[in-house]
């Protein structure tokens, strides 16, 4: 099971930049085997030079001179300036956080480093997270330099082997120095990376130059770049193609309609490269205008190879689904009819399922969900929707078996599957709290001590990384003990996220902690917002880190922007409100719950719409609620949520409502229903059309 801490979309003016910051700190916080998205979504990969990205409402009070030096070193690193860390390092010898200060002093000078510099760092800080972090950065630099001798010396000790760009550089090294044909592995990694990436692009160019990657394979990769709107990267590979490729790729990227209409008049080009330009242009046009693209595919371009037509049709249908077009399910069906043997990427199949759900086309849901392969075929989301399709199509025994595979009381799809089996959400007995002896064994480890010290200084990103690195290889019992260390220190982010890793049971006091219960309960009572809903939202927003602040200024438990807090304070008559109180627990929860109550009123009490509005701004769900088809305007809350076009908001709503369902069971001791929380979603009532706009 994975926890997806979902950031708010950066386009939302209320909390914009928090999108990127929370992804780095919370989604990255625990790199678990991925369900989707962080994702994901899969494990997030930080840039080698990424600075710490979280701050607090004010710098924490420095308990002594050492703390002050550490904070100054961290701030300098965030600015790309290693000087404060370099000056502090001699004064911090022997300090628990010396390895981090050394990293901050070293990493910004990576391009001027030598292997001897790295070896000295490794000798002084063995078996630390920062050493492996610097090893990752150094391997990327060595790959950039094509220094394969030193790369081969460093790579065997690299622990975080799931770094795809480092892997690609190593595959390039093997090919160039050991004469190993690594083309299959490079192609796989290169195709999986949306941007290609420095390492994978470098390896691909090396193999292309040697003829180990064919021109046809390159054209297929360029199609993926076009699907992901990575036109600049696609153009960078034009030198590996025949003369004239750059102009054709550029035209397909920036003026696809002109190229397409010209070929529609003259017919499908006979020249193979010109046909590739047409396919790229149609892929681009399919993103911009899926309806016109489908019309051209079914009319002017029937002479295109069947597989190419199917690929373009699926891409256009996916764009239509993302745009919530009522024709998206029809376009997917047409794409399937063009070439029944063509198998689209799983990311396209996901939107095929979603479009079919909006159309209540359960046969299409069944066909799409059956095509997932590998790990995606086992994902709870697609297993659940495949089971729903089987049930709607009358295959009850298969449906029940699939629901039973997914059912559990603490995840979104697990809860939906439990209710599909005819049961409410009841919580099993909590795991017993681990013995104090085991807790003490965990806290003695230097990695945990460093993480807690960093957290105490509100240096959240390095704290989370250090903690996660130290968790590697621990047993369930040890993980639970480590979570208890964090709980006892009231470091709720580490407490909850570590508890998420424990398999075979749940310690409810850890995984669904309820700090600040008096303040949250009082806010719920004063606004009428369900207390469990508040807990579920705060757990997702901030992991109960009271003083956290994003770079753009979203503050506190409920991540309020100053302008929103001031507006809400005026609305509710909080006459003594002052901006410096925004992160105070009582003030923050009072204002945040009042704003959430306004959203609930705006959306007729729908928690799904209110949660979406809290994350993405109220204007978007106000539009999304009309995503049903004209003859079927109302959707179940589960289908509405599944079709939210912004991935961060879609996952956010799922997690908030699943959290709330668990908290409701804990608070009341009674079985709960996620389906009731999701409710039905349909067009806004006419009399509500002119409600006051919310920020």
């Amino acid at each position: 099971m994975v926890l997806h801490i979902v950031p708010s979309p950066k386009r939302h003016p209320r909390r914009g930049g928090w999108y990127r910051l929370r992804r780095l700190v919370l989604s990255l916080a625990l790199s678990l085997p991925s369900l989707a998205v962080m994702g994901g979504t899969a494990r997030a990969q930080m840039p080698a030079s990424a600075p710490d990205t979280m701050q607090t409402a004010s710098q924490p009070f420095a308990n002594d001179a050492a703390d002050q030096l550490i904070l100054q070193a961290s701030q300098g690193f965030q600015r790309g300036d290693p000087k404060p860390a370099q000056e502090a390092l001699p004064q911090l010898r022997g300090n628990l956080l010396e390895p981090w200060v050394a990293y901050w002093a070293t990493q910004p000078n990576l391009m001027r480093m030598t292997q001897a510099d790295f070896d000295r760092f490794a000798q002084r800080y063995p078996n630390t997270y920062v050493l492996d972090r610097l090893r990752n950065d150094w391997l990327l630099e060595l790959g950039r330099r094509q220094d394969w001798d030193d790369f081969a010396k460093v790579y065997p000790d690299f622990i975080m082997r799931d770094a795809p760009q480092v892997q690609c550089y190593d595959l390039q090294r093997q090919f160039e120095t050991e004469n190993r044909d690594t083309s299959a592995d490079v192609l796989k990694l290169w195709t999986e990376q949306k941007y290609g990436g420095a390492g994978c692009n470098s390896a691909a160019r090396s193999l292309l130059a040697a003829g180990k990657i064919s021109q046809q394979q390159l054209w297929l990769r360029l199609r993926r770049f076009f699907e992901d709107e990575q036109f600049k990267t696609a153009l960078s590979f034009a030198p590996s193609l025949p003369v004239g490729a750059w102009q054709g790729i550029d035209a397909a990227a920036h003026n696809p309609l002109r190229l397409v209409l010209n070929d529609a008049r003259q017919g499908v080009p006979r020249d193979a490269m010109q046909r590739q330009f047409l396919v790229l242009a149609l892929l681009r046009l399919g993103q911009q205008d899926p309806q016109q693209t489908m019309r051209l595919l079914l009319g002017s371009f029937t002479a295109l190879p069947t597989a190419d037509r199917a690929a373009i049709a699926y891409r256009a249908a996916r764009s239509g689904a993302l745009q919530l077009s009522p024709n998206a399910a029809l376009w997917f069906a047409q794409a399937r009819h063009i070439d029944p043997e063509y198998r689209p990427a799983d990311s396209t199949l996901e939107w095929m399922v979603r479009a079919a759900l909006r159309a209540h086309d359960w046969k299409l849901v069944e066909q799409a969900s059956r095509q997932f392969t590998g790990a995606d075929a086992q994902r709870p989301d697609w297993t659940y929707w495949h089971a729903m399709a089987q049930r709607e199509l009358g295959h009850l025994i298969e449906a029940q078996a699939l629901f039973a595979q997914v059912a559990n009381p603490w995840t979104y799809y697990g809860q939906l599957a439990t209710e599909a089996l005819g049961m409410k959400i009841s919580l099993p007995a909590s795991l017993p709290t681990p013995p104090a002896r085991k807790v003490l064994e965990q806290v003695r480890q230097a990695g945990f001590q460093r993480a807690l010290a960093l957290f105490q200084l509100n240096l959240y990103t390095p704290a989370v990384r250090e903690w996660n690195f130290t968790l590697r290889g621990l047993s369930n019992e040890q993980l639970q003990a480590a979570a208890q260390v964090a709980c006892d220190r009231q470091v709720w982010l580490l407490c909850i996220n570590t508890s998420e890793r424990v398999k075979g049971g749940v310690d409810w006091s850890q995984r669904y902690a309820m700090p600040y219960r008096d303040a949250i309960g009082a806010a719920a009572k004063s606004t009428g917002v369900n207390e469990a809903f508040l807990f579920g939202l705060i757990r997702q927003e901030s992991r109960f880190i009271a003083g956290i602040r994003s770079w753009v200024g979203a503050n506190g438990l409920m991540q309020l922007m100053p302008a929103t807090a001031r507006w809400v304070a005026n609305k509710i008559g909080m006459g003594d409100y002052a901006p410096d109180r925004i992160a105070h627990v009582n003030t923050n929860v009072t204002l945040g719950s009042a704003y959430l109550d306004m959203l609930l009123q705006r959306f007729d009490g729908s928690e799904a719409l209110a949660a979406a509005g809290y994350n993405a701004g109220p204007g978007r769900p106000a539009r999304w609620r009309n995503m049903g088809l004209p003859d079927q305007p109302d959707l179940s809350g589960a289908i509405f949520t599944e079709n939210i076009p912004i991935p961060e908001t879609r996952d956010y709503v799922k997690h908030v409502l699943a959290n709330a369902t668990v908290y409701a069971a804990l608070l009341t001791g009674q079985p709960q229903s996620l389906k009731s929380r999701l409710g039905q979603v349909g067009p806004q009532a006419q009399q509500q059309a002119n409600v006051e706009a919310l920020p």
Side-chain angles (χ1 to χ4, degrees):
M1 184 175 65
V2 73
L3 171 66
H4 299 280
I5 303 298
V6 182
S8 303
K10 57 185 174 184
R11 293 161 289 188
H12 178 20
R14 185 174 63 86
R15 301 178 302 161
W18 180 231
Y19 160 76
R20 195 160 48 253
L21 305 176
R22 188 164 41 193
R23 167 172 287 170
L24 296 178
V25 175
L26 299 180
S27 285
L28 190 100
L30 278 178
S31 298
L32 303 176
S34 182
L35 171 71
V37 316
M38 81 55 59
T41 210
R43 183 175 299 187
Q45 182 63 39
M46 292 290 293
S49 60
D52 300 330
T53 54
M54 298 302 297
Q55 297 178 339
T56 49
S58 60
Q59 288 296 345
F61 177 74
N63 295 322
D64 53 34
D67 287 353
Q68 189 64 41
L69 288 171
I70 292 165
L71 289 170
Q72 290 170 356
S74 172
Q75 292 161 11
F77 179 69
Q78 292 178 44
R79 300 190 302 268
D81 177 10
K83 188 175 180 180
Q86 292 168 352
E87 293 176 346
L89 191 56
Q91 304 174 62
L92 294 169
R93 295 299 185 193
N95 187 283
L96 181 64
L97 297 182
E98 178 193 343
W100 276 96
V101 178
Y103 176 78
W104 296 330
T106 303
Q107 199 276 346
N109 292 322
L110 203 65
M111 294 182 70
R112 295 188 292 275
M113 271 180 57
T114 66
Q115 184 61 38
D117 294 329
F118 176 80
D119 289 341
R120 281 191 291 271
F121 190 100
Q123 186 176 9
R124 184 165 186 87
Y125 306 108
N127 306 314
T128 60
Y129 167 77
V130 292
L131 172 57
D132 210 55
R133 180 73 254 171
L134 188 65
R135 187 178 286 120
N136 174 86
D137 303 343
W138 183 232
L139 285 167
L140 291 172
E141 174 61 20
L142 291 172
R144 186 188 67 81
R145 298 179 190 180
Q146 309 281 278
D147 181 348
W148 302 132
D149 289 340
D150 285 338
F151 192 103
K153 296 174 186 175
V154 176
Y155 188 73
D157 294 324
F158 186 40
I159 295 173
M160 297 182 289
R161 289 293 183 91
D162 60 344
Q165 301 308 319
V166 175
Q167 290 175 7
C168 279
Y169 275 133
D170 186 56
L171 291 167
Q172 182 181 355
R173 177 196 64 79
Q174 293 177 47
F175 170 66
E176 294 185 3
T177 66
E178 301 173 10
N179 200 30
R180 291 185 57 193
D181 184 357
T182 58
S183 56
D185 291 332
V186 169
L187 269 172
K188 182 177 186 298
L189 282 168
W190 187 38
T191 303
E192 288 172 350
Q193 311 310 309
K194 180 176 182 180
Y195 302 97
C200 293
N201 287 339
S202 176
R205 287 190 176 94
S206 177
L207 288 158
L208 279 162
K212 296 297 183 180
I213 292 179
S214 70
Q215 296 278 294
Q216 181 60 30
Q217 289 169 321
L218 175 56
W219 281 115
L220 291 174
R221 184 63 184 94
L222 295 183
R223 293 184 187 185
R224 171 67 193 277
F225 281 135
F226 263 64
E227 290 178 1
D228 292 333
E229 301 186 62
Q230 302 304 306
F231 309 121
K232 186 176 180 180
T233 305
L235 283 166
S236 74
F237 280 90
S240 299
L241 293 165
V243 174
W246 193 96
Q247 291 82 355
I249 295 170
D250 184 66
H254 298 111
N255 199 350
L257 182 58
R258 180 177 179 180
L259 191 156
V260 167
L261 292 180
N262 183 63
D263 284 351
R265 288 190 296 269
Q266 298 183 15
V268 174
R270 294 184 178 182
D271 179 78
M273 189 164 72
Q274 296 298 322
R275 283 200 304 275
Q276 294 288 1
F277 298 152
L278 174 59
V279 171
L280 293 179
L282 283 166
L283 286 170
R284 177 65 170 144
L285 188 64
Q287 295 170 302
Q288 299 173 338
D289 189 344
Q291 183 167 336
Q292 183 174 15
T293 303
M294 292 300 299
R295 186 166 59 247
L296 287 166
L297 283 176
L298 298 174
S300 303
F301 294 124
T302 55
L304 270 175
T306 301
D308 290 345
R309 291 177 66 224
I312 297 162
Y314 274 112
R315 189 64 188 89
R318 177 183 172 181
S319 296
L322 279 160
Q323 297 166 20
L324 303 179
S325 167
N327 295 317
L330 171 63
W331 294 335
F332 274 118
Q334 290 172 335
R336 194 169 186 275
H337 180 73
I338 288 172
D339 186 355
E341 301 302 317
Y342 182 88
R343 189 196 169 279
D346 284 356
S347 58
T348 297
L349 288 172
E350 292 176 4
W351 282 102
M352 187 174 175
V353 172
R354 292 173 181 135
L357 287 170
R358 285 197 298 117
H360 297 93
D361 185 341
W362 293 105
K363 184 62 178 176
L364 190 60
V365 172
E366 193 270 344
Q367 291 170 343
S369 59
R370 192 181 288 279
Q371 291 187 69
F372 287 106
T373 58
D376 284 339
Q378 306 302 317
R379 279 172 40 174
D381 45 0
W382 309 128
T383 301
Y384 170 77
W385 287 118
H386 186 69
M388 286 294 294
Q390 295 303 318
R391 189 175 75 176
E392 294 296 324
L393 294 171
H395 308 148
L396 301 183
I397 295 176
E398 183 175 353
Q400 293 292 94
L402 290 169
F403 286 135
Q405 288 180 23
V406 179
N408 68 61
W410 47 80
T411 66
Y412 178 80
Y413 293 102
Q415 292 172 0
L416 287 176
T418 298
E419 293 197 69
L421 290 169
M423 299 178 288
K424 290 290 185 71
I425 312 304
S426 298
L427 303 183
S430 179
L431 290 175
T433 301
R437 177 180 59 81
K438 293 187 180 294
V439 176
L440 292 174
E441 287 174 0
Q442 297 302 322
V443 81
R444 289 193 189 103
Q445 292 192 33
F448 287 132
Q449 293 178 359
R450 272 194 294 272
L452 293 168
L454 288 162
F455 215 98
Q456 188 175 2
L457 292 174
N458 297 338
L459 299 176
Y460 298 126
T461 299
V464 165
R465 289 171 168 171
E466 184 80 56
W467 185 271
N468 292 343
F469 188 78
T470 311
L471 292 177
R472 291 171 305 110
L474 296 189
S475 67
N476 272 350
E477 198 171 35
Q478 291 170 323
L479 287 170
Q480 192 186 1
Q484 194 59 45
V485 170
C487 295
D488 291 344
R489 300 289 185 89
Q490 299 184 28
V491 182
W492 304 112
L493 167 63
L494 302 181
C495 165
I496 293 169
N497 286 359
T498 306
S499 184
E500 289 278 359
R501 293 194 177 205
V502 177
K503 302 185 184 303
V506 171
D507 183 333
W508 300 111
S509 67
Q510 293 179 353
R511 195 173 299 189
Y512 291 93
M514 288 188 279
Y516 312 113
R517 186 170 179 183
D518 289 346
I520 294 171
K525 186 174 182 180
S526 66
T527 59
V529 176
N530 182 270
E531 184 179 6
F533 188 34
L534 268 182
F535 268 111
L537 186 140
I538 293 171
R539 184 183 189 271
Q540 197 67 13
E541 279 289 338
S542 65
R543 280 294 196 254
F544 302 103
I545 306 175
I548 201 167
R549 185 183 72 180
S550 75
W551 275 4
V552 296
N555 290 271
L557 293 178
M558 297 191 70
Q559 283 298 284
L560 294 171
M561 285 294 286
T564 302
R566 184 170 57 252
W567 184 88
V568 175
N570 289 335
K571 281 292 181 182
I572 67 174
M574 186 183 284
D576 60 348
Y577 174 74
D580 61 359
R581 293 176 52 196
I582 189 171
H584 294 183
V585 170
N586 287 336
T587 301
N588 189 272
V589 173
T590 297
L591 295 174
S593 60
Y595 182 67
L596 188 57
D597 180 51
M598 295 174 191
L599 287 168
L600 286 165
Q601 293 182 47
R602 169 71 173 81
F603 293 118
D604 310 313
S606 169
E607 290 186 355
L609 285 165
Y614 199 91
N615 182 262
R620 290 188 177 92
R623 297 191 298 272
W624 297 336
R625 68 185 306 174
N626 297 310
M627 67 170 64
L629 303 188
D631 59 336
Q632 301 178 87
D634 292 334
L635 298 172
S636 72
I639 292 177
F640 165 82
T641 300
E642 195 64 60
N643 275 274
I644 290 174
I646 301 174
E648 293 81 10
T649 303
R650 181 170 62 248
D651 288 343
Y652 178 91
V653 173
K654 293 175 186 178
H655 287 297
V656 166
L657 296 191
N659 291 346
T661 302
V662 173
Y663 278 119
L666 289 170
L667 289 165
T668 66
Q670 299 298 315
Q672 298 295 312
S673 170
L674 173 60
K675 287 184 65 177
S676 296
R677 287 187 177 277
L678 286 163
Q680 293 286 119
V681 175
Q684 186 177 22
Q686 189 64 37
Q687 62 269 24
Q688 295 292 321
N690 296 317
V691 297
E692 181 182 8
L694 298 177

